Amino acid sequence: MGKVGNVSLYGGESEAADNLKTFGAMLKVLRDEAGLTQEALAEGLGYSVEHISKIERGGRFPPRDLDKLAEEVLGPLAARLLRETRLSLTRKAGLASRFRHWAVIEKEAVTLYAYECRVVPGLLQPESYIRALFESVLPPLVEEQIEQRVAARLERQAVLDERPNTYFGFIIEQALLERHMGGKEVTRTLLDHLLAMGKRRNIEIQVMPLRAAHHVGSAGSIYLAETVDHKWLGYSEGQRSSNLISNLTDVGILQQRYRKLSSQALSHEATVELLEQMRGDL
């Protein structure tokens, strides 16, 4: 993969238009990663340049055979990403549209890192904690929306069971655990869940202590994924926006910051001791 730009996706438009823009942005990233122009991709797929341009802009629904045709031009990983992202246009209503492109990458990753300073990472959230989060969303969600989102997040967590050879690394701010989101009972369940997840061979959980003289995480959360072809991608998320990071320089900076955060956080063993102490104090 060559050096390419990052793609910003905004989730403030209608659901259908936003979904199409998500797919178009993904196609553009994959095309850029392969070093192809729109003209070259169109020729390889047998479509017109105008057709490809409209898909990338989110102005046209992708053809059903696009992923099959793309396998020869963009490779098998790209074909799988396009297929899963296309399916997300009509299902997984519980996942925020701006997140769906990263959810596809997350499912394929052979290594996944996450540093969180906002909420406990979604892959580590027990159901009661998930519900507490969605019950606090503004504008308020109706019960049907909450149920959809809870189900989607729990479904997403299946990757932890389905990919035992994938390494998952998590760094969590202690302040998130001290917040007692949802109350003490929810926090007890959360701590028990983190302790159980941390016993798995392919999952490492570290807590960043409340007091730290040196901390490189002030710029916000970090998500990194290593794809099956050993390329790295990053992801960042803000208020109703997201950014898929593929630029090699930017991804390298995120990797550097994550490594430093890991050295500044408590070790896995010290984290277990802290979690057990916090559990006992409740």
Side-chain angles (χ1 to χ4, degrees):
M1 293 185 184
K3 182 181 290 187
V4 300
N6 304 321
V7 174
S8 181
L9 302 173
Y10 184 72
E13 301 182 8
S14 69
E15 187 74 4
D18 203 350
N19 289 349
L20 290 175
K21 286 188 176 183
T22 296
F23 185 92
M26 174 63 70
L27 178 61
K28 184 180 184 302
V29 167
L30 295 171
R31 174 175 63 77
D32 287 343
E33 292 285 275
L36 297 176
T37 63
Q38 283 188 345
E39 290 77 10
L41 179 61
E43 181 179 354
L45 297 178
Y47 297 133
S48 68
V49 176
E50 181 182 6
H51 195 163
I52 296 299
S53 178
K54 286 183 177 180
I55 293 174
E56 289 191 354
R57 294 198 310 269
R60 175 169 293 184
F61 200 90
R64 292 183 180 275
D65 61 350
L66 179 61
D67 56 286
K68 294 180 181 179
L69 296 173
E71 185 164 0
E72 293 187 9
V73 183
L74 299 175
L77 173 60
R80 289 198 297 273
L81 289 173
L82 289 172
R83 181 172 59 253
E84 291 294 331
T85 307
R86 186 185 183 283
L87 288 173
S88 76
L89 300 181
T90 54
R91 70 181 187 186
K92 294 185 177 177
L95 285 179
S97 55
R98 61 185 175 275
F99 179 78
R100 289 172 185 165
H101 61 301
W102 183 254
V104 173
I105 293 169
E106 187 178 72
K107 286 180 62 177
E108 297 283 341
V110 296
T111 305
L112 192 74
Y113 294 131
Y115 160 68
E116 264 295 359
C117 54
R118 304 167 303 170
V119 296
V120 172
L123 291 179
L124 293 179
Q125 297 174 3
E127 183 174 345
S128 58
Y129 184 88
I130 298 172
R131 290 186 179 278
L133 289 175
F134 288 135
E135 287 171 358
S136 301
V137 168
L138 289 175
L141 302 174
V142 299
E143 287 302 316
E144 181 181 359
Q145 291 174 311
I146 292 175
E147 292 303 321
Q148 285 180 338
R149 298 190 184 195
V150 170
R153 186 156 299 179
L154 291 174
E155 178 186 347
R156 181 179 146 221
Q157 292 175 1
V159 69
L160 297 174
D161 299 316
E162 295 169 353
R163 302 188 65 86
N165 297 120
T166 293
Y167 175 82
F168 297 91
F170 300 97
I171 302 175
I172 307 170
E173 289 287 341
Q174 183 178 344
L176 302 179
L177 308 177
E178 299 282 2
R179 183 173 298 159
H180 291 187
M181 183 71 183
K184 285 190 175 181
E185 191 57 41
V186 171
T187 302
R188 286 192 189 95
T189 301
L190 172 62
L191 294 174
D192 287 341
H193 187 69
L194 293 176
L195 286 166
M197 291 293 101
K199 292 179 180 180
R200 299 191 181 190
R201 293 179 180 176
N202 62 326
I203 297 178
E204 182 175 33
I205 300 174
Q206 295 179 265
V207 168
M208 178 66 71
L210 283 174
R211 294 174 178 80
H214 303 285
H215 190 319
V216 299
S218 58
S221 302
I222 297 173
Y223 284 83
L224 289 161
E226 181 186 10
T227 66
V228 292
D229 57 351
H230 306 298
K231 306 300 181 183
W232 285 87
L233 295 169
Y235 175 75
S236 65
E237 191 171 79
Q239 295 284 344
R240 297 185 60 78
S241 65
S242 68
N243 190 27
L244 176 63
I245 302 168
S246 56
N247 180 281
L248 297 181
T249 300
D250 292 340
V251 172
I253 290 172
L254 294 184
Q255 289 176 313
Q256 184 181 35
R257 290 176 181 174
Y258 187 90
R259 286 194 296 268
K260 189 64 174 180
L261 282 167
S262 183
S263 71
Q264 294 171 338
L266 299 177
S267 68
H268 182 72
E269 292 74 18
T271 291
V272 170
E273 293 181 6
L274 176 62
L275 295 177
E276 290 176 341
Q277 177 185 333
M278 293 178 68
R279 177 64 174 83
D281 290 342
L282 286 174

